[in-house]
């Protein structure tokens, strides 16, 4: 049983390592998104570098690759903590992909995907928090950070058995945004939306 779980975790990591932005850019013959814009291979940078269709495709891809391993773990009726580790492994794959020199994204969309199986109420709260922060601040990075901070509080009320892995996932996402936090504090972070324009 333990060997099967470890194999599942490894497969989740390798599946999560399939980066939508990098793969799309290679398919289209576009420059590596890790060398352009914010240098983050995610949907927000794809929106800055290309267009909404490309960003949407990357967003959907990265969300689904977070959702599928967790749904499959539910199907096998694994313990909540094991399911949590499978979700974290998927995000670690996105952040440190072995196919792309271990230089991946920040895990926001994939992290959201791993939380979708917790229910539409959880999903709704996370998306609403992200959208409200974007609307008020215009910063995608700040929206990701605040949503990551809020996620454990939401899950504690809705599905408390998953609180521990969600806290770990939130810490992982926040750590990936350290550089953004520094730029936010210095007033140098680029906005996703600038309401003054």
């Amino acid at each position: 049983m333990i060997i099967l779980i470890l194999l599942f975790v490894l497969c989740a990591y390798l599946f999560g390592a399939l980066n939508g932005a990098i793969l799309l850019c290679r398919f289209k013959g576009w420059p590596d998104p890790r060398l352009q814009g914010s240098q983050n291979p995610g949907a927000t940078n794809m929106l800055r570098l290309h267009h909404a269709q490309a960003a949407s495709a990357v967003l959907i891809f990265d969300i689904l690759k977070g959702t599928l391993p967790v749904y499959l773990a539910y199907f096998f009726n694994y313990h909540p903590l094991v399911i949590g580790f499978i979700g974290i492994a998927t995000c670690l794959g996105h952040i440190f992909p072995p196919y792309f020199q271990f230089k991946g994204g920040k895990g926001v969309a994939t992290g959201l995907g791993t939380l979708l199986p917790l229910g539409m109420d959880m999903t709704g709260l996370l998306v609403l928090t992200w959208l409200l922060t974007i609307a008020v601040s215009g910063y995608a990075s700040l929206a990701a950070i605040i949503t990551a901070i809020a996620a454990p509080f939401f899950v504690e009320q809705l599905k408390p058995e998953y609180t521990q892995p969600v806290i770990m996932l939130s810490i992982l996402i926040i750590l990936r945004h350290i550089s953004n936090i520094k730029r936010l504090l210095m007033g140098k972070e680029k906005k996703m939306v600038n309401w003054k324009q």
Side-chain angles (χ1 to χ4, degrees), residues 84-134:
F85 279 118
I86 288 168
I88 291 170
T90 309
C91 289
L92 284 172
H94 178 81
I95 295 169
F96 304 109
Y99 318 125
F100 308 114
Q101 300 81 47
F102 296 94
K103 297 177 181 178
K106 296 189 176 178
V108 177
T110 305
L112 173 62
T114 65
L115 297 177
L116 291 185
L118 296 184
M120 291 306 298
D121 45 3
M122 181 70 181
T123 303
L125 287 170
L126 293 172
V127 172
L128 183 61
T129 301
W130 191 88
L131 289 174
L132 283 174
T133 309
I134 283 284

Side-chain angles (χ1 to χ4, degrees), residues 37-38 40 42-56 58-59 108-109 127 129-145 147 177 180 183-184 187-197:
S38 67
N40 178 55
T44 302
N45 198 32
M46 290 295 286
L47 180 61
R48 291 193 184 105
L49 296 174
H50 301 289
H51 44 69
Q53 292 92 334
S56 298
V58 169
L59 180 65
V108 177
V127 172
T129 301
W130 191 88
L131 289 174
L132 283 174
T133 309
I134 283 284
V136 171
S137 72
Y139 292 107
S141 57
L142 183 61
I145 294 163
T147 304
H177 283 81
N180 301 91
R183 287 195 297 270
L184 284 165
K188 295 181 178 180
E189 181 76 335
K190 292 182 179 179
K191 288 190 175 185
M192 178 180 178
V193 178
N194 192 340
W195 301 114
K196 294 181 180 179
Q197 293 182 347

Side-chain angles (χ1 to χ4, degrees), residues 13 16 27 33 49 59 90 110 112 118 152 166-167 174 176 185:
Y13 168 77
F27 177 76
L49 296 174
L59 180 65
T90 309
T110 305
L112 173 62
L118 296 184
V166 170
I167 288 173
I174 292 168
R176 286 293 289 171
L185 292 174

Side-chain angles (χ1 to χ4, degrees), residues 149-169:
I149 292 171
F153 296 98
F154 294 152
V155 77
E156 175 66 26
Q157 300 302 316
L158 300 171
K159 297 284 182 70
E161 64 271 26
Y162 294 99
T163 301
Q164 185 175 349
V166 170
I167 288 173
M168 293 164 58
L169 178 59

